[in-house]
């Protein structure tokens, strides 16, 4: 098999990897906001549930979580698995896993804002919403960008874990090509594609950080 054909097949697999990446961000970033709100809730029982969720998601392998979400409907509820079950399980697992990490990043950013700024906003007559929107959130976004960027870059590489439950993303395509062609070239090409995409992500994140440079600690 020639290099062009290999790249075409790997490109098709990369589209699936890209879909996993995009859907995870679309789901996990806002879900992380919900989780951190529960994590910082004034009710102890709600905080305990949120902390337990975060602990489980961060304390167990993502691959194991995918297996659990994929097989649980069948073994627990007797629901028959369909061809789309693998895809759905992978997306759900990625979202709930990364939401836990994003929630902790958000929490660290919120707690980094001095309490005096909340008090000053209250003295100036700001409402709680105005305080968050105009004072707290701009600072939090800037402070958490490096940590969020690290998670986003990690997510690019973690999309390869979807092969564990049979999702045909780029790594599983490369693995199949290596086995059939008895050559390491597909792995080299896949590595180059991962690196190139991560480099593009780094450029985007760097651009966002520069735009936020108007605020300095």
């Amino acid at each position: 098999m020639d290099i062009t054909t290999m790249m075409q097949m790997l490109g098709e697999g990369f589209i699936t990897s890209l879909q996993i990446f995009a859907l995870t961000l679309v789901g996990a970033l806002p879900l992380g906001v919900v989780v951190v709100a529960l994590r910082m809730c004034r009710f102890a029982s709600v905080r305990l549930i949120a902390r337990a969720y975060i602990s489980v998601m961060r304390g167990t392998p993502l691959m194991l979580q995918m297996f659990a979400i994929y097989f649980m409907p069948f073994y627990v509820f007797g629901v028959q698995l369909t061809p789309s079950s693998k895809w759905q399980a992978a997306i759900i697992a990625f979202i709930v896993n990364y939401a836990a990490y994003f929630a902790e990043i958000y929490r660290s950013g919120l707690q980094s804002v001095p309490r005096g700024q909340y008090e000053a906003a209250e003295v100036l007559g700001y409402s709680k919403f105005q305080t968050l929107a105009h004072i707290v959130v701009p600072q939090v976004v800037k402070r958490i960008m490096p940590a969020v960027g690290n998670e986003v870059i990690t997510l690019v590489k973690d999309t390869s874990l979807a092969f564990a439950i049979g999702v045909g993303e780029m790594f599983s395509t490369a693995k199949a090509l290596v086995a059939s062609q008895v050559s390491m070239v597909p792995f080299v090409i896949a590595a180059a594609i991962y690196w190139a995409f991560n480099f593009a992500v780094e450029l985007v994140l760097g651009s966002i950080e520069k735009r936020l440079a108007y605020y300095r600690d």
Side-chain angles (χ1 to χ4, degrees):
M1 185 181 296
D2 56 62
I3 298 294
T4 302
T5 304
M6 285 185 184
M7 292 187 67
Q8 182 179 356
M9 294 177 66
L10 289 170
E12 293 173 356
F14 178 68
I15 292 175
T16 301
S17 298
L18 191 59
Q19 290 174 334
I20 296 172
F21 172 80
L23 290 173
T24 300
L25 288 184
V26 169
L29 287 170
L31 181 57
V33 175
V34 176
V35 175
V36 76
L38 298 177
R39 175 70 174 80
M40 302 179 73
C41 178
R42 61 178 179 174
F43 299 109
S45 58
V46 176
R47 292 199 305 271
L48 182 61
I49 293 172
R51 289 181 66 179
Y53 163 77
I54 292 172
S55 178
V56 171
M57 290 299 105
R58 297 201 306 168
T60 58
L62 174 55
M63 189 180 297
L64 180 60
Q65 294 166 19
M66 279 193 291
F67 279 119
I69 293 172
Y70 178 52
F71 289 111
M72 187 181 298
F74 177 76
Y75 286 107
V76 177
F77 303 106
V79 177
Q80 292 298 319
L81 300 177
T82 65
S84 63
S85 295
K86 295 176 181 179
W87 172 257
Q88 294 168 356
I91 297 302
I92 292 172
F94 271 88
I95 289 175
V96 297
N97 178 275
Y98 271 83
Y101 286 93
F102 286 135
E104 286 298 275
I105 291 172
Y106 298 160
R107 186 172 68 90
S108 67
L110 288 168
Q111 292 181 338
S112 69
V113 178
R115 181 62 189 170
Q117 296 195 24
Y118 291 91
E119 296 172 350
E122 185 177 357
V123 171
L124 292 172
Y126 280 64
S127 66
K128 289 184 178 180
F129 176 79
Q130 290 174 322
T131 301
L132 285 173
H134 300 295
I135 297 177
V136 177
V137 171
Q139 297 181 65
V140 170
V141 171
K142 177 184 181 296
R143 293 178 181 184
I144 67 174
M145 273 305 301
V148 169
N150 285 337
E151 288 301 317
V152 171
I153 289 173
T154 299
L155 172 59
V156 175
K157 296 175 288 184
D158 277 356
T159 57
S160 63
L161 295 176
F163 90 95
I165 57 174
V167 176
E169 44 66 63
M170 185 169 65
F171 180 75
S172 60
T173 302
K175 188 177 179 182
L177 286 171
V178 167
S180 64
Q181 302 301 309
V182 194
S183 169
M184 292 295 289
V185 173
F187 278 158
V188 174
I189 297 173
I193 294 174
Y194 279 123
W195 174 80
F197 184 65
N198 259 330
F199 183 72
V201 170
E202 288 178 14
L203 291 178
V204 172
L205 293 172
S207 176
I208 294 174
E209 287 192 43
K210 286 182 180 179
R211 287 178 178 272
L212 295 173
Y214 64 85
Y215 168 78
R216 299 183 183 278
D217 294 327

